[in-house]
Amino acid sequence: MFLLQVFIVLLLVVAAVVALLVESRSDRYAAARDRSLAAAEAFAHGPGLVATMQGPDPSAVLQPLTEAARTGAKVDFIVVADRNGIRYTHPEPAQIGKKFVGTIEPSLHGLVTVERVHGPLGLEYQVVVPVEDTHGGVVGVVAAGMKVANVSSAINRQLPVVLGAGTVALALATAGTGLVGRRLLRQTHGLGPEEMTRMYEHHDAVLHAVREGVAIVGGDGRVLLANDEARRLLDLPPDAEGRAVTDLGLDPRTSELLLSDSTVTDQVLPVGDRLLAVNNRPTDSRGGPPGSVTTLRDSTELRALAGKAEVARGRLRLLYDASMTIGTTLDVRRTVKELADIASRDFCDYATVDLAEEVLRGEEPHPLAVGAGVELRRVALTGIRDDSPLYREGRLVRWAGTTPQAAGFASGRSALVAELATDVGWRMQELERTQAVLEFGLASLITVPLTARGVLMGVACFWRGRDRGPFEDEDLSVAEELAARAAVSVDNARRFTREHTMAVTLQHSLLPRALPEQSAIEVAYRYLPAQAGVGGDWFDVIPLPGARVALVVGDVVGHGMHAAATMGRLRTAVQNFSTLDLPPDELLGHLDELVAHIDQEAAAAGGELTITGATCLYAIYDPTTAVCALARAGHPPPALVHPDGTVELLGLPAGPPLGLGGMPFEATQVRLSPGSSLILYTDGLVEDRTRDIGVGLDTLTAVLGRPDRSPQEVCEAVLDVLLPDRQNDDIALLVARTRVLEPDRIAEWEVASTPEAVAQARAEATRQLAEWGLDEAAFVTELVLSELVTNAIRYGTGPIGVRLLYERTLICEVSDTSSTAPHLRYAVAEDEGGRGLFLVARLTERWGVRYTPEGKIIWAEQYL
């Protein structure tokens, strides 16, 4: 506003100045013309001018006269010239005698000429008047003129007045605007015009948009303002504003509240069929104008909205609880049980889940045609009571093709049955059972297929009784959301079940399926795969020549298929190396080289997992000497339980894990008393996330302190105490109780290195077999001993020893100090020898050679 006023004042001042300038210019031009015309006329009609101009020296006479006349007339010049325009006079004498500048032709004909010219004195306004003689003839001209700039104007006197008046007006406008602005700022609390406009627009928009009635009543009892919601709630007429409250036709109690100047908070007021919550505040409590402000809320709608909000909040809480509860494990049955539990608690009265048989095995169900019957296993059933007529858990249910369950499983679409009694398709399942369900009180059903990643796995059913009311469309969305969350967890559990089953199957196929027959030890074992995935733990019992037996326990780092496959490779390698009858330290050395070679191949292939870090414990027990040779590669030490119950952890040299290389392994020999127990295990038994391995070993030794238990009982006792609540690693446990071969079952003697000794060896063997009651085996034994002793005499070095072992089989052993081993070959017809070992191989079950620190032993084994 201030700028507008300044602009208007300046505009008026400029207009006045422009008008003065225009008027002043016109006045100056008129004054210059009139003054010049008067001077020229007066001089041209002066007496004696014609005679002087016709005299001998006009300039000398006229020059002083014209200058005197010019000064008296206050013009810039008076010039007298002849008919040719030659000047007789001029204010500047140098211009006398020169041509007159201007137009004289009209004056030569008796006319007066008025014009503006650029003469010697500058821009001039001049008048040319003819000089006539007594006969009317023109003898010359008189020109008078002056510069317009030399004419004084009224603007020089009026302009200061105009500018002064404009300045005063501007000052008054500024002062007035400042006073008005200060008062407006006080009244608007510092808000400017734009802010006031925006605030008013927002105030008006909010006032009429809120779902709360607002009515302002002045001190005189008239309605000053009523928004749209107040008009609707109180049923006010369109022209209510400005009218007295008592004239609006309201009931007395409502009028009294609107006119009241007291404070009212949430007072319930019935108005028609509505129930309003009314608040009233006086407007003069802080120095404002008298009156009151009343707000009104429709509590009827608020109650309905609050009910809907509570229902929505309950559904959100249900979905949140479901996300936190469903899928806590990778177990299919546990997952669907969690779904049924959470649904029956807050969403329905009963919840059931049926799954395809393939899902329980970790497989994908086969797709079915719409309308076909479906066989599903009832996996979960929960509800408010236990005596419902619904199918029990564990039952295989064949759903008819018309039922919502079968249709949902085949098509993958959910179904809402608001009234079971009128649903023909559902009642076609089993008439007696469906009637029992209706009589039990169940009246409404929602079926949702469990679908994840395009796989249909089963159907979840939610049941409600008549007391709770039927399901609605919003309930179908909640049920689908519940089923969708559960379906992902079920599919994850199904996939885990499939992979876990495959890995466990592979692992069990690679582990010993049955213990081999042997008499050296009494063996019991346990193998428990990890709950979260199989690992690479393994064990083995390998019969060796000479009634001996090898015990092996190993552990491959990692879990899953790779660990299980690697375990199988190592177990096969140990079995192959054991056929060479190597000592434990040499066998572990060969196994270490194999692991290093496998890792090199994996590194060359790029990105494959390595097995460096696998551990192994290998032991060979000889029942003829009761000596056990052991060596370990990074594996936990074995425990030895003596016959008297004393338990010790054998202090074997640890050795590096397999695959590291560079360090030799060291074997230890321990003599075991008959009835001792050797316990081999993997680290999963004594170590987990909550228990240190030292604590686990102490617990193990404490459990093994009872020698009167069988190996089977020892396995059970150890697992009862040491098995963790959640098994994160495989556990392999091998318990071997030692036996010794009785001295009367062993016969050994030395044989001289002469051909005659062969007959003596046969005779001694026949005698010993007769004592053992094995006369039927004498013939084959004589042939075997003859060949083996003959080879030792011919190709070996003494001393030569013979040993017969009577166990489950009859074992013949011939030893010498040579390291040269015989080889089986086929002899042709003309060969004189080479058929001895061929006969030994054909007459016995097995034969072989094993090396000892003193030489070698050639052995042959016969089944009895």
Side-chain angles (χ1 to χ4, degrees):
M1 181 61 69
F2 171 71
L3 294 178
L4 179 61
Q5 291 182 350
V6 170
F7 175 76
I8 292 174
V9 171
L10 291 178
L11 183 62
L12 293 175
V13 171
V14 169
V17 170
V18 169
L20 288 176
L21 290 176
V22 172
E23 183 181 359
S24 173
R25 182 179 180 184
S26 177
D27 292 345
R28 293 174 68 183
Y29 285 159
R33 184 187 66 234
D34 294 343
R35 192 178 299 176
S36 299
L37 178 60
E41 286 281 356
F43 199 87
H45 295 89
L49 176 61
V50 174
T52 302
M53 291 177 63
Q54 294 176 352
D57 191 5
S59 296
V61 177
L62 294 176
Q63 178 67 18
L65 296 176
T66 56
E67 285 301 308
R70 178 181 66 83
T71 302
K74 296 181 179 180
V75 294
D76 290 333
F77 68 91
I78 295 176
V79 176
V80 180
D82 60 10
R83 287 180 59 88
N84 295 322
I86 301 302
R87 300 188 186 98
Y88 292 140
T89 63
H90 197 277
E92 294 179 4
Q95 298 297 326
I96 297 173
K98 294 182 179 181
K99 186 73 173 179
F100 175 73
V101 179
T103 303
I104 63 173
E105 284 78 8
S107 299
L108 296 179
H109 296 285
L111 301 177
V112 177
T113 303
V114 179
E115 63 178 343
R116 284 182 295 174
V117 297
H118 288 276
L121 299 179
L123 179 60
E124 300 170 332
Y125 210 106
Q126 64 184 11
V127 178
V128 180
V129 177
V131 179
E132 297 177 349
D133 57 12
T134 56
H135 302 287
V138 178
V139 295
V141 294
V142 175
M146 62 182 304
K147 291 188 292 183
V148 176
N150 292 335
V151 179
S152 61
S153 176
I155 190 174
N156 295 329
R157 300 183 303 272
Q158 296 175 356
L159 185 59
V161 176
V162 172
L163 293 178
T167 302
V168 172
L170 183 60
L172 292 176
T174 301
T177 302
L179 294 175
V180 172
R182 288 182 59 185
R183 184 169 183 179
L184 288 176
L185 287 177
R186 286 198 307 269
Q187 292 179 346
T188 60
H189 302 284
L191 298 177
E194 295 182 359
E195 295 172 330
M196 286 292 296
T197 302
R198 187 165 54 251
M199 183 182 70
Y200 175 78
E201 292 174 350
H202 289 176
H203 170 269
D204 187 67
V206 171
L207 186 65
H208 293 283
V210 294
R211 296 289 295 173
E212 184 170 344
V214 178
I216 303 177
V217 179
D220 57 355
R222 295 182 178 275
V223 177
L224 300 180
L225 184 145
N227 69 347
D228 296 340
E229 184 68 7
R231 295 174 184 272
R232 186 182 70 85
L233 295 177
L234 297 177
D235 196 17
L236 298 177
D239 59 345
E241 294 182 358
R243 295 176 58 182
V245 174
T246 55
D247 297 338
L248 298 177
L250 302 175
D251 62 272
R253 187 176 177 185
T254 304
S255 300
E256 182 181 355
L257 274 175
L258 294 177
L259 295 173
S260 175
D261 58 355
S262 60
T263 301
V264 176
T265 301
D266 289 336
Q267 181 173 337
V268 178
L269 178 67
V271 177
D273 57 351
R274 296 187 179 93
L275 201 62
L276 305 182
V278 181
N279 292 271
N280 188 76
R281 296 292 185 272
T283 58
D284 56 356
S285 58
R286 297 184 179 180
S292 62
V293 176
T294 304
T295 60
L296 309 101
R297 296 194 310 274
D298 191 347
S299 60
T300 306
E301 295 183 3
L302 289 177
R303 288 180 183 179
L305 292 175
K308 294 181 179 179
E310 184 62 30
V311 171
R313 184 162 51 249
R315 290 170 178 168
L316 291 176
R317 184 171 58 251
L318 172 64
L319 295 178
Y320 172 78
D321 293 341
S323 64
M324 301 297 295
T325 304
I326 300 174
T328 58
T329 64
L330 287 174
D331 182 79
V332 174
R333 296 179 181 271
R334 176 69 179 275
T335 300
V336 297
K337 187 68 167 59
E338 292 168 346
L339 168 62
D341 289 341
I342 192 67
S344 61
R345 187 180 65 189
D346 297 318
F347 180 65
C348 60
D349 295 327
Y350 290 88
T352 62
V353 181
D354 303 333
L355 296 179
E357 290 284 348
E358 294 87 349
V359 175
L360 299 176
R361 297 193 298 266
E363 303 171 1
E364 292 186 6
H366 300 291
L368 300 175
V370 177
V374 176
E375 283 191 353
L376 300 175
R377 179 75 64 180
R378 175 61 52 84
V379 183
L381 166 62
T382 58
I384 57 178
R385 291 168 55 182
D386 298 332
D387 58 345
S388 68
L390 300 174
Y391 292 112
R392 300 289 95 186
E393 288 186 16
R395 177 168 175 175
L396 184 63
V397 182
R398 179 172 180 80
W399 294 101
T402 59
T403 60
Q405 289 85 346
F409 183 79
S411 65
R413 292 191 293 269
S414 305
L416 188 155
V417 181
E419 183 57 52
L420 286 173
T422 60
D423 189 77
V424 179
W426 174 76
R427 300 203 65 176
M428 293 297 293
Q429 173 63 19
E430 287 184 21
L431 294 179
E432 295 182 359
R433 185 173 295 274
T434 54
Q435 185 62 33
V437 170
L438 294 175
E439 293 175 355
F440 185 73
L442 298 181
S444 186
L445 167 67
I446 288 179
T447 61
V448 183
L450 297 177
T451 307
R453 303 178 181 95
V455 178
L456 278 168
M457 297 171 290
V459 177
C461 299
F462 307 98
W463 310 76
R464 276 187 184 177
R466 296 190 180 280
D467 296 339
R468 192 163 184 172
F471 286 109
E472 300 176 354
D473 292 338
E474 292 80 1
D475 297 319
L476 181 60
S477 301
V478 176
E480 290 176 342
E481 182 67 21
L482 282 174
R485 299 190 182 193
V488 174
S489 300
V490 171
D491 189 55
N492 291 338
R494 179 190 64 82
R495 291 168 179 262
F496 172 78
T497 300
R498 180 187 60 191
E499 295 179 2
H500 184 71
T501 301
M502 292 173 58
V504 170
T505 302
L506 172 64
Q507 189 175 42
H508 281 288
S509 68
L510 299 175
L511 289 171
R513 299 188 179 184
L515 294 179
E517 294 184 2
Q518 48 81 34
S519 302
I521 55 176
E522 180 185 358
V523 182
Y525 67 92
R526 294 291 186 274
Y527 176 78
L528 300 176
Q531 295 178 2
V534 297
D537 292 13
W538 55 283
F539 68 93
D540 212 345
V541 178
I542 306 172
L544 297 177
R548 297 168 305 146
V549 65
L551 303 175
V552 192
V553 172
D555 186 2
V556 177
V557 294
H559 292 81
M561 301 288 288
H562 178 266
T566 303
M567 175 270 293
R569 299 173 71 178
L570 295 185
R571 177 172 177 256
T572 302
V574 170
Q575 288 181 336
N576 292 334
F577 290 147
S578 66
T579 60
L580 302 176
D581 211 345
L582 300 173
D585 53 340
E586 294 185 18
L587 185 142
L588 290 181
H590 286 290
L591 196 62
D592 180 69
E593 293 178 359
L594 174 64
V595 171
H597 179 68
I598 294 175
D599 285 347
Q600 290 175 0
E601 289 182 348
E608 294 189 10
L609 297 175
T610 61
I611 59 176
T612 300
T615 64
C616 184
L617 173 62
Y618 188 81
I620 298 177
Y621 175 67
D622 189 349
T624 63
T625 61
V627 174
C628 184
L630 307 96
R632 62 180 178 134
H635 202 80
L640 176 62
V641 182
H642 296 279
D644 60 355
T646 305
V647 182
E648 66 171 318
L649 296 175
L650 297 180
L652 306 180
L658 299 174
L660 296 181
M663 294 291 292
F665 298 96
E666 184 178 352
T668 301
Q669 291 189 348
V670 180
R671 183 174 296 278
L672 305 179
S673 303
S676 300
S677 294
L678 192 65
I679 292 87
L680 285 68
Y681 54 89
T682 56
D683 58 356
L685 179 68
V686 295
E687 183 181 17
D688 61 17
R689 296 178 180 177
T690 61
R691 180 177 57 201
D692 185 72
I693 188 172
V695 177
L697 291 175
D698 293 341
T699 306
L700 176 64
T701 56
V703 174
L704 297 175
R706 291 179 51 188
D708 56 340
R709 293 178 294 197
S710 67
Q712 293 287 352
E713 294 173 341
V714 172
C715 288
E716 295 295 336
V718 169
L719 293 180
D720 287 344
V721 175
L722 290 174
L723 188 64
D725 295 334
R726 178 167 181 80
Q727 184 184 339
N728 297 314
D729 196 4
D730 290 6
I731 294 177
L733 175 63
L734 189 64
V735 178
R737 177 164 292 176
T738 62
R739 298 169 179 165
V740 294
L741 194 61
E742 297 298 332
D744 59 355
R745 294 295 186 100
I746 304 174
E748 54 184 339
W749 63 92
E750 288 191 1
V751 177
S753 299
T754 60
E756 295 80 5
V758 177
Q760 297 176 1
R762 290 200 300 268
E764 181 66 24
T766 302
R767 183 191 62 80
Q768 185 63 52
L769 291 179
E771 291 183 4
W772 289 340
L774 302 177
D775 296 324
E776 295 181 356
F779 176 74
V780 174
T781 304
E782 288 180 358
L783 288 177
V784 171
L785 278 179
S786 296
E787 178 60 29
L788 297 183
V789 171
T790 299
N791 284 340
I793 293 173
R794 293 184 62 181
Y795 304 109
T797 57
I800 299 174
V802 176
R803 188 170 73 161
L804 298 179
L805 301 178
Y806 177 25
E807 193 201 21
R808 295 178 303 102
T809 61
L810 179 62
I811 303 172
C812 301
E813 296 181 345
V814 176
S815 62
D816 60 56
T817 58
S818 172
S819 59
T820 303
H823 296 280
L824 180 66
R825 65 186 180 89
Y826 289 93
V828 296
E830 60 270 15
D831 287 343
E832 296 182 357
R835 297 176 177 82
L837 284 181
F838 181 77
L839 291 175
V840 172
R842 294 301 300 269
L843 295 175
T844 60
E845 296 297 327
R846 296 189 302 162
W847 76 278
V849 179
R850 76 173 185 269
Y851 294 93
T852 64
E854 295 79 16
K856 69 176 182 296
I857 297 175
I858 303 176
W859 57 271
E861 184 176 348
Q862 305 174 57
Y863 285 158
L864 299 177

